[in-house]
Amino acid sequence: VLNMKSSSDVLSLSSITKRFGDILACDHVDFNVPEGSIVGLLGQNGAGKSTLMNIVIGLYQPDAGSVSVQGNQVKIRSPKHAAELGVSMVHQHFSVIEALSVWESVCLGDKSSYDPDSVKDQIFSLAEKYGLGVDPNSRISELTPGQRQRVEILKCLRRDPKVLILDEPTSVLTDEESVKLFDVVQRVVEDEGRAAVLISHKLDEILYATQQIVIMRDGQVIEKIPTENAEASFLAEAMVGRKVSLRSSASAFGITETDDYQLDEKSVEKDNFASLVLKVENSTCLDDRGRRLEGFNLEASAGEIVGVTGAEGNGQALLADLLSSLDSLSEGSISVDGKIVKTGVPGAMSEAGIAVIPEDRHHSGCALELTVAENLILNRAKQLSNWGIIRKENRD
């Protein structure tokens, strides 16, 4: 294990420990981020990555250990305090408010009075400097996930942070948007003497964007390695604690562009005799946000995975909404097992057997105020209720 601590560390964590009841989320973690570098924090879900960074920005207080920023040991009391110390975080799930405009979201939380025109000029300047084009007057609710991510980053950069923390920043971005994001972060870090932490479980983006890699598993740091010495197979095995086949698990680890792990075309040939399950035929739709599908066709057979790809804004999100019964076709049809399913009718697609996992699960996939059990039964309330009342024993 390589010791990365040095006098140039902008952020230094020593023996950080954090418990949630019986769960030991962070177990005596040491973590350092040198000036001018991007450190990748890699691990599976539940490894302790986000908990560690939430301590850094003051959302959690450690049970033991210390935090130093720019050489000074500090007790970070809140995200506002962290920002004052020069630490900002772009969260995995957006923290912008949909009813506000871009410029209002960016200056939200400012201590002093502000001039709207001045804020807009700052946003234009930052957006042009870092290639984060976004209209300051747009409503957050009108923006795509990729554009909302840009707003989050602009909000952080406006505070002139010394340390920028990115928590799973590409979970709702296309590959092209992800590359642009990392190029921006690298330019910010290298040209302006800042430091960054990239939290991820995707090997390709960690290998692309970072100079050093720290791997966590079960709340502990189990490896520290310079990125130039790292290989995908080693990182994957360190993450899960056992040997893995990247040929069969490449997509799970985010490996998308390597000749070593190409699948045999014969192994994924379509079975010509497989039954047709889903058919979208000559479908046209124009929704109230200007999104369009025109003469769209799609077929998916039993035992088959069909990929739909394209640059953001070319109809993928609208297709998902159609298959969620949120929009209606003006022309064409959607059928499941040969039976036409009415579009735009609440519950019709679900009852036909179509399940949709949305691109932003916090925005449209879960009711965050409800328990896990309550979320799971939302679409089965009738089956689990007696005279309109859901009893706990049925819910469990």
Side-chain angles (χ1 to χ4, degrees), residues 127-153:
E128 183 176 355
K129 180 177 181 180
Y130 297 114
L132 296 168
V134 64
D135 182 0
N137 294 307
S138 296
R139 291 286 169 191
I140 296 296
S141 59
E142 300 171 348
L143 302 182
T144 65
Q147 291 170 327
R148 294 187 189 195
Q149 187 71 279
R150 294 173 201 165
V151 175
E152 294 272 16
I153 296 170

Side-chain angles (χ1 to χ4, degrees), residues 232-248:
S233 57
F234 171 80
L235 298 179
E237 290 173 16
M239 282 174 63
V240 301
R242 57 178 172 79
K243 288 188 176 296
V244 296
S245 170
L246 288 183
R247 173 177 288 273
S248 61

Side-chain angles (χ1 to χ4, degrees), residues 42 44 47 215-222 237-241:
L42 187 65
Q44 296 189 93
I215 304 173
M216 293 186 68
R217 189 173 71 236
D218 298 329
Q220 295 182 319
V221 172
I222 49 91
E237 290 173 16
M239 282 174 63
V240 301

Side-chain angles (χ1 to χ4, degrees), residues 10-11 31-41 53 88 161-166 182 184-186 188-190 193-199 209-212:
V10 180
L11 175 67
F31 183 83
N32 306 288
V33 186
E35 181 179 307
S37 69
I38 303 174
V39 175
L41 185 53
M53 291 300 105
S88 291
K162 191 65 176 177
V163 182
L164 182 63
I165 301 169
L166 299 133
F182 295 136
V184 168
V185 176
Q186 286 174 332
V188 169
V189 167
E190 294 174 5
R194 305 176 195 261
V197 179
L198 172 60
I199 307 173
T210 69
Q211 288 76 49
Q212 300 172 352

Side-chain angles (χ1 to χ4, degrees), residues 35-283:
E35 181 179 307
S37 69
I38 303 174
V39 175
L41 185 53
L42 187 65
Q44 296 189 93
N45 290 334
K49 311 182 302 295
S50 293
T51 297
L52 187 67
M53 291 300 105
N54 282 332
I55 289 173
V56 172
I57 64 165
L59 282 176
Y60 300 149
Q61 295 300 316
D63 299 325
S66 62
V67 179
S68 295
V69 178
Q70 299 187 68
N72 300 312
Q73 186 171 321
V74 294
K75 181 177 181 180
I76 303 178
R77 300 182 299 273
S78 66
K80 182 178 180 181
H81 185 208
E84 292 170 353
L85 294 170
V87 180
S88 291
M89 184 170 181
V90 177
H91 295 271
Q92 178 180 2
H93 301 293
F94 303 135
S95 58
V96 289
I97 299 174
E98 292 196 355
L100 300 182
S101 66
V102 170
W103 75 265
E104 289 170 331
S105 294
V106 168
C107 68
L108 189 65
D110 283 4
K111 291 189 293 184
S112 59
S113 60
Y114 53 83
D115 172 46
D117 290 336
S118 177
V119 174
K120 293 176 187 179
D121 288 342
Q122 285 182 325
I123 294 173
F124 273 122
S125 178
L126 287 170
E128 183 176 355
K129 180 177 181 180
Y130 297 114
L132 296 168
V134 64
D135 182 0
N137 294 307
S138 296
R139 291 286 169 191
I140 296 296
S141 59
E142 300 171 348
L143 302 182
T144 65
Q147 291 170 327
R148 294 187 189 195
Q149 187 71 279
R150 294 173 201 165
V151 175
E152 294 272 16
I153 296 170
L154 287 170
K155 186 173 182 178
C156 285
L157 292 176
R158 182 171 174 266
R159 295 173 177 170
D160 195 26
K162 191 65 176 177
V163 182
L164 182 63
I165 301 169
L166 299 133
D167 185 5
E168 303 282 1
T170 63
S171 58
V172 295
L173 302 185
T174 65
D175 289 343
E176 182 181 2
E177 287 175 328
S178 298
V179 171
K180 289 181 179 178
L181 170 63
F182 295 136
D183 289 344
V184 168
V185 176
Q186 286 174 332
R187 188 161 67 250
V188 169
V189 167
E190 294 174 5
D191 295 350
E192 301 177 13
R194 305 176 195 261
V197 179
L198 172 60
I199 307 173
S200 182
H201 60 268
K202 298 180 181 179
L203 304 188
D204 62 337
E205 62 188 39
I206 288 288
L207 290 170
Y208 175 82
T210 69
Q211 288 76 49
Q212 300 172 352
I213 301 172
V214 176
I215 304 173
M216 293 186 68
R217 189 173 71 236
D218 298 329
Q220 295 182 319
V221 172
I222 49 91
E223 290 289 348
K224 296 181 180 180
I225 184 173
T227 305
E228 62 184 3
N229 296 338
E231 296 182 355
S233 57
F234 171 80
L235 298 179
E237 290 173 16
M239 282 174 63
V240 301
R242 57 178 172 79
K243 288 188 176 296
V244 296
S245 170
L246 288 183
R247 173 177 288 273
S248 61
S249 306
S251 62
F253 291 104
I255 298 173
T256 56
E257 298 180 342
T258 173
D259 294 335
D260 295 336
Y261 308 116
Q262 295 297 318
L263 294 177
D264 184 351
E265 291 183 4
K266 293 181 179 179
S267 69
V268 292
E269 284 183 354
K270 181 177 179 180
D271 184 352
N272 293 327
F273 300 100
S275 61
L276 185 64
V277 176
L278 173 67
K279 185 174 184 179
V280 181
E281 188 173 18
N282 297 323
S283 294

